[in-house]
Amino acid sequence: IPAFVESRRLEDGVGYVRLNIFLLQPLMQQVRSAVLEMADAPALVIDLRGNPGGVGGMAAGIAGLLLARGDDRKSLGTMKMRGGEIRFAVNPQPPHYTRPVALLIDEMSLSTSEILAGGLQEMRRAVVVGRATGGMVLPSNIEKLPGGVRFQYAIADFKTPRGVLLEGRGVVPDIAVPLSRRLLWEKGDPILAAAREHLHRKASTS
């Protein structure tokens, strides 16, 4: 899978960062650089649509770019395995981005995308916009069985800090944007448009 990070300023000055998969190398440094370049942007959009996940720890790394010192005890959730558990603790990484953030999601935002979106949503650090994620959060192994059949099975369970099981449920957006021909015709990218409208309203009332 080709891995890439896309970043740019939108017409209204809002920063936009998109990554298509979670890979520490080479993407984590690219994401960090992109977020830091948006330090003076009035708001930031992180696009996770179509992102199937990847390295889980990268979600905590990205969250650390958005949280200030004093938030060290915050976590995106806990993954429980037979031999122990992994807590997705967020380590704030100054200089951090402190202005409003919107995360864009859809049905193909899976796994690590769901961990990041669900955790930041519960912290109220980001507004989540789009359509519910696919609810495919758990890590798994694939074994080859006799006859060539392959068996895939989950090896851990994951809960958000509030104890929500995202597997089979997905992350439910704060601002739901249905898929419709009319919205596509009127807005071009209705999920991005809804996020920008929310961010502008937030800026005007703050």
Side-chain angles (χ1 to χ4, degrees):
I1 301 176
F4 64 83
V5 173
E6 174 190 352
S7 65
R8 67 180 190 272
R9 302 264 181 160
L10 304 178
E11 297 85 355
D12 49 9
V14 170
Y16 173 90
V17 178
R18 178 189 172 212
L19 62 158
N20 73 320
I21 195 168
F22 286 85
L23 290 178
L24 288 173
Q25 296 295 338
L27 297 191
M28 187 61 216
Q29 185 55 47
Q30 293 180 29
V31 172
R32 178 177 173 79
S33 296
V35 172
L36 294 180
E37 287 172 5
M38 303 298 175
D40 61 339
L44 178 66
V45 172
I46 299 178
D47 195 343
L48 300 177
R49 291 177 293 177
N51 187 320
V55 179
M58 191 171 166
I62 293 175
L65 299 172
L66 309 173
L67 294 169
R69 288 290 183 189
D71 290 331
D72 304 66
R73 295 184 180 180
K74 293 196 173 179
S75 165
L76 298 176
T78 302
M79 190 163 283
K80 189 173 183 179
M81 300 165 290
R82 288 184 178 179
E85 59 184 37
I86 299 173
R87 182 172 175 267
F88 287 77
V90 177
N91 179 28
Q93 303 169 46
H96 47 271
Y97 186 82
T98 59
R99 299 181 185 184
V101 177
L103 288 181
L104 311 187
I105 59 170
D106 64 9
E107 301 85 349
M108 294 305 296
S109 303
L110 308 174
S111 189
T112 306
S113 292
E114 299 179 276
I115 292 172
L116 180 59
L120 290 180
Q121 182 184 53
E122 285 196 2
M123 292 179 199
R124 298 190 176 181
R125 179 60 189 96
V127 62
V128 178
V129 185
R131 297 188 296 277
T133 62
M136 298 173 65
V137 184
L138 306 186
S140 63
N141 285 339
I142 300 176
E143 301 285 349
K144 187 175 181 180
L145 303 180
V149 175
R150 295 184 184 274
F151 175 56
Q152 183 176 13
Y153 58 96
I155 59 172
D157 202 4
F158 178 82
K159 290 183 180 180
T160 69
R162 294 182 182 174
V164 177
L165 290 166
L166 295 179
E167 185 72 13
R169 171 189 183 270
V171 178
V172 179
D174 300 304
I175 301 174
V177 182
L179 180 62
S180 76
R181 185 167 181 248
R182 180 184 63 81
L183 283 176
L184 290 170
W185 179 262
E186 292 177 356
K187 304 286 188 179
D189 186 340
I191 293 178
L192 179 57
R196 292 170 70 181
E197 289 168 7
H198 169 81
L199 293 171
H200 284 305
R201 286 196 302 271
K202 189 175 181 66
S204 65
T205 57
S206 60

